[in-house]
mmCIF file of all heavy atoms in Angstrom:
data_model
loop_
_atom_site.group_PDB
_atom_site.id
_atom_site.type_symbol
_atom_site.label_atom_id
_atom_site.label_comp_id
_atom_site.label_asym_id
_atom_site.label_seq_id
_atom_site.Cartn_x
_atom_site.Cartn_y
_atom_site.Cartn_z
ATOM 1 N N SER A 1292 1.193 15.266 -7.009
ATOM 2 C CA SER A 1292 -0.080 15.213 -7.735
ATOM 3 C C SER A 1292 -0.028 14.136 -8.816
ATOM 4 O O SER A 1292 -1.027 13.431 -9.055
ATOM 5 C CB SER A 1292 -0.394 16.572 -8.361
ATOM 6 O OG SER A 1292 -0.508 17.566 -7.360
ATOM 7 N N LEU A 1293 1.127 14.004 -9.469
ATOM 8 C CA LEU A 1293 1.287 12.920 -10.450
ATOM 9 C C LEU A 1293 1.156 11.557 -9.774
ATOM 10 O O LEU A 1293 0.502 10.648 -10.299
ATOM 11 C CB LEU A 1293 2.644 13.032 -11.135
ATOM 12 C CG LEU A 1293 2.830 14.131 -12.183
ATOM 13 C CD1 LEU A 1293 4.244 14.083 -12.743
ATOM 14 C CD2 LEU A 1293 1.815 13.987 -13.303
ATOM 15 N N CYS A 1294 1.777 11.412 -8.602
ATOM 16 C CA CYS A 1294 1.661 10.148 -7.860
ATOM 17 C C CYS A 1294 0.208 9.864 -7.503
ATOM 18 O O CYS A 1294 -0.250 8.716 -7.581
ATOM 19 C CB CYS A 1294 2.518 10.199 -6.594
ATOM 20 S SG CYS A 1294 4.291 10.318 -6.885
ATOM 21 N N ALA A 1295 -0.522 10.905 -7.106
ATOM 22 C CA ALA A 1295 -1.937 10.727 -6.752
ATOM 23 C C ALA A 1295 -2.759 10.323 -7.963
ATOM 24 O O ALA A 1295 -3.646 9.460 -7.872
ATOM 25 C CB ALA A 1295 -2.481 12.024 -6.146
ATOM 26 N N LEU A 1296 -2.481 10.948 -9.115
ATOM 27 C CA LEU A 1296 -3.192 10.593 -10.339
ATOM 28 C C LEU A 1296 -2.952 9.122 -10.690
ATOM 29 O O LEU A 1296 -3.891 8.376 -11.009
ATOM 30 C CB LEU A 1296 -2.732 11.500 -11.477
ATOM 31 C CG LEU A 1296 -3.342 11.244 -12.863
ATOM 32 C CD1 LEU A 1296 -4.848 11.432 -12.829
ATOM 33 C CD2 LEU A 1296 -2.712 12.169 -13.899
ATOM 34 N N GLY A 1297 -1.687 8.690 -10.624
ATOM 35 C CA GLY A 1297 -1.387 7.293 -10.914
ATOM 36 C C GLY A 1297 -2.006 6.349 -9.910
ATOM 37 O O GLY A 1297 -2.544 5.292 -10.274
ATOM 38 N N TYR A 1298 -1.963 6.719 -8.626
ATOM 39 C CA TYR A 1298 -2.544 5.873 -7.578
ATOM 40 C C TYR A 1298 -4.047 5.712 -7.794
ATOM 41 O O TYR A 1298 -4.587 4.601 -7.691
ATOM 42 C CB TYR A 1298 -2.267 6.505 -6.214
ATOM 43 C CG TYR A 1298 -2.742 5.691 -5.037
ATOM 44 C CD1 TYR A 1298 -1.889 4.799 -4.406
ATOM 45 C CD2 TYR A 1298 -4.031 5.821 -4.535
ATOM 46 C CE1 TYR A 1298 -2.312 4.051 -3.315
ATOM 47 C CE2 TYR A 1298 -4.467 5.081 -3.458
ATOM 48 C CZ TYR A 1298 -3.603 4.201 -2.854
ATOM 49 O OH TYR A 1298 -4.045 3.465 -1.769
ATOM 50 N N GLY A 1299 -4.731 6.823 -8.080
ATOM 51 C CA GLY A 1299 -6.168 6.746 -8.294
ATOM 52 C C GLY A 1299 -6.529 5.872 -9.479
ATOM 53 O O GLY A 1299 -7.485 5.079 -9.423
ATOM 54 N N LEU A 1300 -5.785 5.988 -10.583
ATOM 55 C CA LEU A 1300 -6.056 5.166 -11.767
ATOM 56 C C LEU A 1300 -5.880 3.678 -11.465
ATOM 57 O O LEU A 1300 -6.731 2.846 -11.826
ATOM 58 C CB LEU A 1300 -5.134 5.579 -12.907
ATOM 59 C CG LEU A 1300 -5.459 6.903 -13.602
ATOM 60 C CD1 LEU A 1300 -4.308 7.335 -14.488
ATOM 61 C CD2 LEU A 1300 -6.743 6.787 -14.423
ATOM 62 N N VAL A 1301 -4.787 3.323 -10.795
ATOM 63 C CA VAL A 1301 -4.533 1.911 -10.499
ATOM 64 C C VAL A 1301 -5.567 1.377 -9.516
ATOM 65 O O VAL A 1301 -6.095 0.270 -9.686
ATOM 66 C CB VAL A 1301 -3.105 1.734 -9.947
ATOM 67 C CG1 VAL A 1301 -2.887 0.305 -9.458
ATOM 68 C CG2 VAL A 1301 -2.082 2.081 -11.014
ATOM 69 N N PHE A 1302 -5.860 2.140 -8.481
ATOM 70 C CA PHE A 1302 -6.805 1.681 -7.466
ATOM 71 C C PHE A 1302 -8.191 1.467 -8.055
ATOM 72 O O PHE A 1302 -8.826 0.426 -7.835
ATOM 73 C CB PHE A 1302 -6.865 2.703 -6.325
ATOM 74 C CG PHE A 1302 -7.720 2.268 -5.165
ATOM 75 C CD1 PHE A 1302 -7.167 1.541 -4.131
ATOM 76 C CD2 PHE A 1302 -9.070 2.587 -5.116
ATOM 77 C CE1 PHE A 1302 -7.956 1.136 -3.060
ATOM 78 C CE2 PHE A 1302 -9.862 2.189 -4.059
ATOM 79 C CZ PHE A 1302 -9.303 1.468 -3.022
ATOM 80 N N VAL A 1303 -8.672 2.439 -8.807
ATOM 81 C CA VAL A 1303 -10.018 2.336 -9.387
ATOM 82 C C VAL A 1303 -10.084 1.197 -10.398
ATOM 83 O O VAL A 1303 -11.055 0.436 -10.440
ATOM 84 C CB VAL A 1303 -10.423 3.678 -10.026
ATOM 85 C CG1 VAL A 1303 -11.672 3.517 -10.872
ATOM 86 C CG2 VAL A 1303 -10.654 4.719 -8.942
ATOM 87 N N ALA A 1304 -9.044 1.043 -11.223
ATOM 88 C CA ALA A 1304 -9.038 -0.035 -12.209
ATOM 89 C C ALA A 1304 -8.996 -1.399 -11.531
ATOM 90 O O ALA A 1304 -9.673 -2.348 -11.967
ATOM 91 C CB ALA A 1304 -7.853 0.128 -13.155
ATOM 92 N N GLY A 1305 -8.200 -1.527 -10.471
ATOM 93 C CA GLY A 1305 -8.147 -2.791 -9.746
ATOM 94 C C GLY A 1305 -9.472 -3.122 -9.097
ATOM 95 O O GLY A 1305 -9.939 -4.267 -9.130
ATOM 96 N N GLN A 1306 -10.106 -2.116 -8.506
ATOM 97 C CA GLN A 1306 -11.419 -2.333 -7.890
ATOM 98 C C GLN A 1306 -12.458 -2.690 -8.937
ATOM 99 O O GLN A 1306 -13.298 -3.580 -8.727
ATOM 100 C CB GLN A 1306 -11.827 -1.064 -7.135
ATOM 101 C CG GLN A 1306 -13.127 -1.177 -6.383
ATOM 102 C CD GLN A 1306 -13.395 0.070 -5.562
ATOM 103 O OE1 GLN A 1306 -13.221 0.083 -4.353
ATOM 104 N NE2 GLN A 1306 -13.803 1.147 -6.207
ATOM 105 N N ALA A 1307 -12.422 -2.024 -10.090
ATOM 106 C CA ALA A 1307 -13.372 -2.326 -11.161
ATOM 107 C C ALA A 1307 -13.149 -3.730 -11.720
ATOM 108 O O ALA A 1307 -14.101 -4.422 -12.091
ATOM 109 C CB ALA A 1307 -13.246 -1.290 -12.272
ATOM 110 N N PHE A 1308 -11.896 -4.160 -11.780
ATOM 111 C CA PHE A 1308 -11.589 -5.513 -12.257
ATOM 112 C C PHE A 1308 -12.281 -6.550 -11.380
ATOM 113 O O PHE A 1308 -12.881 -7.513 -11.864
ATOM 114 C CB PHE A 1308 -10.074 -5.718 -12.248
ATOM 115 C CG PHE A 1308 -9.624 -7.031 -12.827
ATOM 116 C CD1 PHE A 1308 -9.350 -7.141 -14.177
ATOM 117 C CD2 PHE A 1308 -9.478 -8.149 -12.031
ATOM 118 C CE1 PHE A 1308 -8.927 -8.351 -14.720
ATOM 119 C CE2 PHE A 1308 -9.064 -9.355 -12.551
ATOM 120 C CZ PHE A 1308 -8.790 -9.458 -13.901
ATOM 121 N N VAL A 1309 -12.200 -6.356 -10.071
ATOM 122 C CA VAL A 1309 -12.849 -7.291 -9.145
ATOM 123 C C VAL A 1309 -14.366 -7.197 -9.273
ATOM 124 O O VAL A 1309 -15.064 -8.218 -9.310
ATOM 125 C CB VAL A 1309 -12.388 -7.001 -7.705
ATOM 126 C CG1 VAL A 1309 -13.138 -7.887 -6.717
ATOM 127 C CG2 VAL A 1309 -10.896 -7.223 -7.568
ATOM 128 N N LEU A 1310 -14.897 -5.973 -9.339
ATOM 129 C CA LEU A 1310 -16.350 -5.801 -9.454
ATOM 130 C C LEU A 1310 -16.897 -6.439 -10.727
ATOM 131 O O LEU A 1310 -17.957 -7.074 -10.716
ATOM 132 C CB LEU A 1310 -16.694 -4.308 -9.445
ATOM 133 C CG LEU A 1310 -16.801 -3.621 -8.082
ATOM 134 C CD1 LEU A 1310 -16.973 -2.123 -8.285
ATOM 135 C CD2 LEU A 1310 -17.959 -4.185 -7.282
ATOM 136 N N ASP A 1311 -16.180 -6.289 -11.824
ATOM 137 C CA ASP A 1311 -16.668 -6.786 -13.107
ATOM 138 C C ASP A 1311 -16.656 -8.305 -13.191
ATOM 139 O O ASP A 1311 -17.462 -8.896 -13.908
ATOM 140 C CB ASP A 1311 -15.828 -6.210 -14.253
ATOM 141 C CG ASP A 1311 -16.083 -4.726 -14.453
ATOM 142 O OD1 ASP A 1311 -17.025 -4.209 -13.831
ATOM 143 O OD2 ASP A 1311 -15.333 -4.086 -15.212
ATOM 144 N N HIS A 1312 -15.733 -8.945 -12.492
ATOM 145 C CA HIS A 1312 -15.556 -10.380 -12.664
ATOM 146 C C HIS A 1312 -15.970 -11.208 -11.462
ATOM 147 O O HIS A 1312 -15.894 -12.431 -11.508
ATOM 148 C CB HIS A 1312 -14.096 -10.688 -13.007
ATOM 149 C CG HIS A 1312 -13.640 -10.053 -14.285
ATOM 150 N ND1 HIS A 1312 -12.712 -9.048 -14.316
ATOM 151 C CD2 HIS A 1312 -14.007 -10.256 -15.571
ATOM 152 C CE1 HIS A 1312 -12.520 -8.664 -15.574
ATOM 153 N NE2 HIS A 1312 -13.289 -9.385 -16.348
ATOM 154 N N ALA A 1313 -16.365 -10.539 -10.371
ATOM 155 C CA ALA A 1313 -16.829 -11.289 -9.209
ATOM 156 C C ALA A 1313 -18.304 -11.648 -9.388
ATOM 157 O O ALA A 1313 -19.077 -10.907 -9.983
ATOM 158 C CB ALA A 1313 -16.638 -10.464 -7.936
ATOM 159 N N THR A 1314 -18.669 -12.815 -8.889
ATOM 160 C CA THR A 1314 -20.062 -13.253 -8.905
ATOM 161 C C THR A 1314 -20.626 -13.147 -7.498
ATOM 162 O O THR A 1314 -19.906 -12.899 -6.528
ATOM 163 C CB THR A 1314 -20.160 -14.708 -9.393
ATOM 164 O OG1 THR A 1314 -19.467 -15.561 -8.460
ATOM 165 C CG2 THR A 1314 -19.524 -14.856 -10.774
ATOM 166 N N SER A 1315 -21.936 -13.343 -7.382
ATOM 167 C CA SER A 1315 -22.557 -13.296 -6.062
ATOM 168 C C SER A 1315 -21.997 -14.369 -5.146
ATOM 169 O O SER A 1315 -21.963 -14.214 -3.928
ATOM 170 C CB SER A 1315 -24.075 -13.451 -6.191
ATOM 171 O OG SER A 1315 -24.390 -14.669 -6.854
ATOM 172 N N ALA A 1316 -21.524 -15.473 -5.727
ATOM 173 C CA ALA A 1316 -21.005 -16.579 -4.922
ATOM 174 C C ALA A 1316 -19.597 -16.305 -4.403
ATOM 175 O O ALA A 1316 -19.238 -16.743 -3.310
ATOM 176 C CB ALA A 1316 -21.012 -17.870 -5.739
ATOM 177 N N ASN A 1317 -18.795 -15.583 -5.189
ATOM 178 C CA ASN A 1317 -17.395 -15.385 -4.772
ATOM 179 C C ASN A 1317 -17.049 -13.925 -4.534
ATOM 180 O O ASN A 1317 -15.872 -13.568 -4.483
ATOM 181 C CB ASN A 1317 -16.447 -15.981 -5.813
ATOM 182 C CG ASN A 1317 -16.437 -15.193 -7.124
ATOM 183 O OD1 ASN A 1317 -17.248 -14.290 -7.318
ATOM 184 N ND2 ASN A 1317 -15.529 -15.542 -8.016
ATOM 185 N N ARG A 1318 -18.065 -13.056 -4.399
ATOM 186 C CA ARG A 1318 -17.783 -11.625 -4.246
ATOM 187 C C ARG A 1318 -16.989 -11.355 -2.974
ATOM 188 O O ARG A 1318 -16.052 -10.556 -2.966
ATOM 189 C CB ARG A 1318 -19.082 -10.825 -4.255
ATOM 190 C CG ARG A 1318 -18.854 -9.307 -4.164
ATOM 191 C CD ARG A 1318 -20.129 -8.523 -4.392
ATOM 192 N NE ARG A 1318 -20.515 -8.575 -5.801
ATOM 193 C CZ ARG A 1318 -21.586 -9.197 -6.264
ATOM 194 N NH1 ARG A 1318 -22.386 -9.838 -5.421
ATOM 195 N NH2 ARG A 1318 -21.876 -9.206 -7.546
ATOM 196 N N ALA A 1319 -17.374 -12.009 -1.875
ATOM 197 C CA ALA A 1319 -16.671 -11.771 -0.612
ATOM 198 C C ALA A 1319 -15.207 -12.197 -0.721
ATOM 199 O O ALA A 1319 -14.294 -11.481 -0.294
ATOM 200 C CB ALA A 1319 -17.361 -12.527 0.517
ATOM 201 N N ARG A 1320 -14.959 -13.363 -1.322
ATOM 202 C CA ARG A 1320 -13.583 -13.834 -1.478
ATOM 203 C C ARG A 1320 -12.793 -12.924 -2.423
ATOM 204 O O ARG A 1320 -11.611 -12.678 -2.226
ATOM 205 C CB ARG A 1320 -13.570 -15.264 -2.009
ATOM 206 C CG ARG A 1320 -13.919 -16.319 -0.982
ATOM 207 C CD ARG A 1320 -13.758 -17.701 -1.560
ATOM 208 N NE ARG A 1320 -12.385 -17.918 -1.993
ATOM 209 C CZ ARG A 1320 -12.007 -18.942 -2.751
ATOM 210 N NH1 ARG A 1320 -12.905 -19.815 -3.188
ATOM 211 N NH2 ARG A 1320 -10.739 -19.085 -3.093
ATOM 212 N N SER A 1321 -13.464 -12.424 -3.443
ATOM 213 C CA SER A 1321 -12.783 -11.559 -4.399
ATOM 214 C C SER A 1321 -12.339 -10.259 -3.745
ATOM 215 O O SER A 1321 -11.209 -9.799 -3.944
ATOM 216 C CB SER A 1321 -13.700 -11.274 -5.594
ATOM 217 O OG SER A 1321 -14.074 -12.468 -6.239
ATOM 218 N N PHE A 1322 -13.230 -9.655 -2.951
ATOM 219 C CA PHE A 1322 -12.851 -8.416 -2.283
ATOM 220 C C PHE A 1322 -11.858 -8.669 -1.158
ATOM 221 O O PHE A 1322 -11.038 -7.798 -0.844
ATOM 222 C CB PHE A 1322 -14.089 -7.693 -1.763
ATOM 223 C CG PHE A 1322 -14.670 -6.753 -2.770
ATOM 224 C CD1 PHE A 1322 -15.741 -7.125 -3.551
ATOM 225 C CD2 PHE A 1322 -14.120 -5.508 -2.967
ATOM 226 C CE1 PHE A 1322 -16.266 -6.274 -4.508
ATOM 227 C CE2 PHE A 1322 -14.633 -4.637 -3.907
ATOM 228 C CZ PHE A 1322 -15.710 -5.015 -4.683
ATOM 229 N N ALA A 1323 -11.908 -9.843 -0.544
ATOM 230 C CA ALA A 1323 -10.889 -10.184 0.445
ATOM 231 C C ALA A 1323 -9.519 -10.250 -0.214
ATOM 232 O O ALA A 1323 -8.507 -9.835 0.367
ATOM 233 C CB ALA A 1323 -11.228 -11.515 1.104
ATOM 234 N N LEU A 1324 -9.470 -10.763 -1.438
ATOM 235 C CA LEU A 1324 -8.219 -10.806 -2.194
ATOM 236 C C LEU A 1324 -7.730 -9.395 -2.493
ATOM 237 O O LEU A 1324 -6.548 -9.086 -2.361
ATOM 238 C CB LEU A 1324 -8.451 -11.601 -3.471
ATOM 239 C CG LEU A 1324 -7.294 -11.811 -4.453
ATOM 240 C CD1 LEU A 1324 -7.422 -13.198 -5.069
ATOM 241 C CD2 LEU A 1324 -7.330 -10.770 -5.563
ATOM 242 N N PHE A 1325 -8.648 -8.508 -2.875
ATOM 243 C CA PHE A 1325 -8.318 -7.118 -3.209
ATOM 244 C C PHE A 1325 -7.815 -6.372 -1.970
ATOM 245 O O PHE A 1325 -6.751 -5.744 -1.981
ATOM 246 C CB PHE A 1325 -9.572 -6.453 -3.781
ATOM 247 C CG PHE A 1325 -9.413 -4.997 -4.107
ATOM 248 C CD1 PHE A 1325 -8.758 -4.592 -5.257
ATOM 249 C CD2 PHE A 1325 -9.932 -4.022 -3.274
ATOM 250 C CE1 PHE A 1325 -8.619 -3.254 -5.568
ATOM 251 C CE2 PHE A 1325 -9.801 -2.686 -3.570
ATOM 252 C CZ PHE A 1325 -9.143 -2.301 -4.725
ATOM 253 N N VAL A 1326 -8.575 -6.471 -0.873
ATOM 254 C CA VAL A 1326 -8.194 -5.782 0.356
ATOM 255 C C VAL A 1326 -6.936 -6.401 0.955
ATOM 256 O O VAL A 1326 -6.095 -5.703 1.525
ATOM 257 C CB VAL A 1326 -9.370 -5.817 1.361
ATOM 258 C CG1 VAL A 1326 -8.956 -5.228 2.701
ATOM 259 C CG2 VAL A 1326 -10.564 -5.062 0.800
ATOM 260 N N GLY A 1327 -6.787 -7.727 0.806
ATOM 261 C CA GLY A 1327 -5.606 -8.389 1.355
ATOM 262 C C GLY A 1327 -4.320 -7.877 0.745
ATOM 263 O O GLY A 1327 -3.310 -7.710 1.437
ATOM 264 N N ALA A 1328 -4.332 -7.616 -0.567
ATOM 265 C CA ALA A 1328 -3.138 -7.070 -1.221
ATOM 266 C C ALA A 1328 -2.810 -5.688 -0.667
ATOM 267 O O ALA A 1328 -1.637 -5.363 -0.431
ATOM 268 C CB ALA A 1328 -3.354 -7.008 -2.729
ATOM 269 N N ILE A 1329 -3.822 -4.865 -0.451
ATOM 270 C CA ILE A 1329 -3.599 -3.516 0.076
ATOM 271 C C ILE A 1329 -3.058 -3.573 1.499
ATOM 272 O O ILE A 1329 -2.109 -2.872 1.864
ATOM 273 C CB ILE A 1329 -4.906 -2.702 0.012
ATOM 274 C CG1 ILE A 1329 -5.332 -2.523 -1.450
ATOM 275 C CG2 ILE A 1329 -4.740 -1.351 0.688
ATOM 276 C CD1 ILE A 1329 -6.669 -1.855 -1.620
ATOM 277 N N MET A 1330 -3.651 -4.439 2.345
ATOM 278 C CA MET A 1330 -3.221 -4.508 3.728
ATOM 279 C C MET A 1330 -1.813 -5.087 3.844
ATOM 280 O O MET A 1330 -1.027 -4.671 4.700
ATOM 281 C CB MET A 1330 -4.210 -5.340 4.540
ATOM 282 C CG MET A 1330 -5.603 -4.738 4.644
ATOM 283 S SD MET A 1330 -5.601 -2.983 5.117
ATOM 284 C CE MET A 1330 -4.761 -3.048 6.685
ATOM 285 N N ALA A 1331 -1.480 -6.065 2.992
ATOM 286 C CA ALA A 1331 -0.120 -6.613 3.017
ATOM 287 C C ALA A 1331 0.894 -5.530 2.655
ATOM 288 O O ALA A 1331 1.962 -5.423 3.267
ATOM 289 C CB ALA A 1331 -0.008 -7.795 2.062
ATOM 290 N N ALA A 1332 0.556 -4.702 1.666
ATOM 291 C CA ALA A 1332 1.443 -3.595 1.299
ATOM 292 C C ALA A 1332 1.516 -2.562 2.420
ATOM 293 O O ALA A 1332 2.574 -1.963 2.659
ATOM 294 C CB ALA A 1332 0.960 -2.945 0.007
ATOM 295 N N THR A 1333 0.411 -2.358 3.138
ATOM 296 C CA THR A 1333 0.393 -1.418 4.252
ATOM 297 C C THR A 1333 1.305 -1.882 5.379
ATOM 298 O O THR A 1333 1.903 -1.057 6.082
ATOM 299 C CB THR A 1333 -1.047 -1.249 4.773
ATOM 300 O OG1 THR A 1333 -1.891 -0.811 3.695
ATOM 301 C CG2 THR A 1333 -1.119 -0.233 5.893
ATOM 302 N N VAL A 1334 1.420 -3.192 5.567
ATOM 303 C CA VAL A 1334 2.311 -3.727 6.591
ATOM 304 C C VAL A 1334 3.768 -3.594 6.154
ATOM 305 O O VAL A 1334 4.634 -3.150 6.923
ATOM 306 C CB VAL A 1334 1.975 -5.204 6.890
ATOM 307 C CG1 VAL A 1334 3.041 -5.826 7.786
ATOM 308 C CG2 VAL A 1334 0.616 -5.314 7.546
ATOM 309 N N CYS A 1335 4.060 -3.961 4.910
ATOM 310 C CA CYS A 1335 5.452 -4.023 4.453
ATOM 311 C C CYS A 1335 6.031 -2.644 4.134
ATOM 312 O O CYS A 1335 7.210 -2.380 4.413
ATOM 313 C CB CYS A 1335 5.550 -4.908 3.200
ATOM 314 S SG CYS A 1335 5.047 -6.622 3.467
ATOM 315 N N GLY A 1336 5.236 -1.767 3.544
ATOM 316 C CA GLY A 1336 5.758 -0.521 3.008
ATOM 317 C C GLY A 1336 6.368 0.431 4.018
ATOM 318 O O GLY A 1336 7.540 0.821 3.891
ATOM 319 N N PRO A 1337 5.615 0.864 5.059
ATOM 320 C CA PRO A 1337 6.167 1.882 5.963
ATOM 321 C C PRO A 1337 7.439 1.449 6.672
ATOM 322 O O PRO A 1337 8.371 2.245 6.826
ATOM 323 C CB PRO A 1337 5.021 2.101 6.963
ATOM 324 C CG PRO A 1337 3.789 1.696 6.231
ATOM 325 C CD PRO A 1337 4.199 0.570 5.343
ATOM 326 N N SER A 1338 7.493 0.209 7.122
ATOM 327 C CA SER A 1338 8.677 -0.246 7.854
ATOM 328 C C SER A 1338 9.909 -0.250 6.962
ATOM 329 O O SER A 1338 10.982 0.246 7.348
ATOM 330 C CB SER A 1338 8.426 -1.646 8.421
ATOM 331 O OG SER A 1338 7.992 -2.521 7.394
ATOM 332 N N ILE A 1339 9.773 -0.805 5.751
ATOM 333 C CA ILE A 1339 10.901 -0.823 4.824
ATOM 334 C C ILE A 1339 11.259 0.590 4.384
ATOM 335 O O ILE A 1339 12.443 0.941 4.247
ATOM 336 C CB ILE A 1339 10.576 -1.703 3.604
ATOM 337 C CG1 ILE A 1339 10.400 -3.156 4.044
ATOM 338 C CG2 ILE A 1339 11.676 -1.619 2.569
ATOM 339 C CD1 ILE A 1339 11.624 -3.768 4.671
#
């Protein structure tokens, strides 16, 4: 439950960081950067 609390705080804060600072011109690239970090971790984490 502690891990879940920490995960939720980091995830929501990271998503809010992108939402707050992305513009209409770079919103797609900004979220691609956000999702790309998650997917890269999804590839590396389970195998290791």
Side-chain angles (χ1 to χ4, degrees):
S1292 299
L1293 285 180
C1294 295
L1296 178 61
Y1298 183 93
L1300 286 167
V1301 172
F1302 185 89
V1303 168
Q1306 183 175 257
F1308 185 90
V1309 175
L1310 277 173
D1311 289 350
H1312 299 112
T1314 63
S1315 57
N1317 70 352
R1318 183 171 288 112
R1320 284 185 60 193
S1321 301
F1322 271 98
L1324 180 144
F1325 177 78
V1326 174
I1329 296 174
M1330 295 312 301
T1333 303
V1334 171
C1335 298
S1338 53
I1339 295 299

